Amino acid sequence: MIGGPVSRTLGNLLAEQAARTPDALAVHYGGRACSYAQLHERAQRTADGLRVLGVRRGDRLGLLVGNSLEWLDILFAGMMLGATVVPVSTWSKPSEIAFILEDSAVTTLVATARAGSENHLESLMQLVPEAWRAGPGGWQSTTLPLLRHVVMLDVDPSIRPTGFMPYEVLHELARQSCDAESAGAQADDVAVILYTSGSTGKPKGVMLSHANILSNAFAGLKVMTVGRADVFLSFLPLSHTFERTCGYYLTVMSGSTVVFARSVQQLSEDLQRSEEHTSELQ
């Protein structure tokens, strides 16, 4: 087991681990993988793009995306900027999405077009019909007046409203970023707002600081004696608090590897490919 990190924020934690073990396999999902150095570079590029959109410290960044490398890029990009990330389950219904975005005051949302049987593009078009009549950043939603940008993954350009930005454009915007001195997060800043299930009422937003999350991850690291050679296998969605708090943050802190399984049927293939990617990076 490695010692505790020097970093006091999640964005700095990834940078620290990328410097410690740049070539170690950080994550594998669905045949795609990247090392800690690659994950840090991807997140930094995404942060630069979001910075051009105007995302700053304290802003609420919504994340309606299934398990993927992009989910991690956006998470750590928000942390680097000092934004508060608001994960939304891809199982959410339109009314649930609307409630969370309004209640948490999300200003920028990154979303996937579909997840299982849920058509999130259709839901968002209904919530933000103004996006049909203006380009990115040129509309204001009557339903969600604080929401200024919607960035979409995996969407057919022929059915995407002109006001919704393709995810790829973020990395094009990153080339325009020159605001390297913009304020990042502090340890006591709210890193994530997690919403409860709402079983007996409206979901409640639970605010966790960088210090909260890092302290919890370090406690798990000591109890489980996790080391850099360990590999975590996860079937849980990244939007779920248990996956991140007791799983992913712990792996980043230890410099170990996480394999996000796609399904039981594809488990053997995912594990084999993760071993191959580890060999390629060594």
Side-chain angles (χ1 to χ4, degrees):
M1 182 183 75
I2 65 171
V6 175
S7 303
R8 301 183 68 234
T9 69
L10 289 160
N12 288 341
L13 175 65
L14 178 60
E16 181 182 339
Q17 198 54 261
R20 281 183 172 185
T21 57
D23 297 327
L25 181 62
V27 57
H28 177 277
Y29 178 73
R32 303 172 65 200
C34 62
S35 66
Y36 277 99
Q38 291 167 338
L39 180 59
H40 180 258
E41 190 277 331
R42 289 170 59 104
Q44 184 62 67
R45 188 168 68 248
T46 302
D48 290 342
L50 290 170
R51 184 184 290 112
V52 174
L53 284 187
V55 178
R56 296 292 186 272
R57 180 185 176 192
D59 288 346
R60 307 295 171 79
L61 175 63
L63 182 48
L64 178 60
V65 177
N67 284 13
S68 59
L69 298 187
E70 287 76 15
W71 203 105
L72 298 174
D73 294 343
I74 301 157
L75 172 75
F76 283 112
M79 302 304 176
M80 291 173 177
L81 295 171
T84 298
V85 177
V86 183
V88 183
S89 170
T90 54
W91 298 337
S92 298
K93 302 298 181 183
S95 61
E96 295 170 325
I97 295 171
F99 171 78
I100 291 174
L101 296 182
E102 180 180 17
D103 188 68
S104 62
V106 163
T107 59
T108 298
L109 172 67
V110 183
T112 189
R114 298 189 68 95
S117 61
E118 300 298 333
N119 188 330
H120 297 309
L121 175 61
E122 183 177 294
S123 299
L124 292 170
M125 289 191 297
Q126 293 174 0
L127 287 173
V128 192
E130 297 86 354
W132 283 107
R133 301 190 292 272
W139 48 263
Q140 183 169 21
S141 169
T142 302
T143 306
L144 300 167
L146 295 179
L147 184 64
R148 301 302 303 148
H149 298 283
V150 175
V151 182
M152 298 296 305
L153 281 84
D154 306 322
V155 62
D156 184 340
S158 66
I159 60 173
R160 175 178 49 81
T162 56
F164 288 179
M165 178 184 298
Y167 182 75
E168 294 74 20
V169 172
L170 275 184
H171 294 168
E172 296 175 14
L173 292 176
R175 302 189 186 100
Q176 305 173 27
S177 178
C178 58
D179 188 11
E181 300 302 319
S182 62
Q186 301 297 314
D188 292 334
D189 287 350
V190 177
V192 177
I193 298 178
L194 300 174
Y195 276 82
T196 61
S197 61
S199 301
T200 59
K202 289 289 187 182
K204 305 297 190 296
V206 179
M207 297 183 288
L208 297 177
S209 71
H210 291 263
N212 293 152
I213 293 169
L214 288 173
S215 295
N216 189 79
F218 185 56
L221 188 69
K222 292 193 292 184
V223 170
M224 297 177 67
T225 61
V226 178
R228 292 173 181 165
D230 290 316
V231 177
F232 277 73
L233 173 64
S234 177
F235 285 90
L236 298 174
L238 278 162
S239 60
H240 195 283
T241 181
F242 187 87
E243 165 51 51
R244 293 193 316 282
T245 307
C246 300
Y248 192 69
Y249 297 139
L250 192 153
T251 66
V252 177
M253 186 171 283
S254 64
S256 51
T257 301
V258 62
V259 177
F260 292 111
R262 292 171 290 171
S263 67
V264 173
Q265 292 77 13
Q266 295 168 305
L267 178 57
S268 177
E269 177 187 346
D270 288 339
L271 291 174
Q272 180 179 348
R273 288 295 294 140
S274 70
E275 291 177 0
E276 293 171 356
H277 280 125
T278 299
S279 299
E280 292 168 3
L281 290 170
Q282 290 177 343

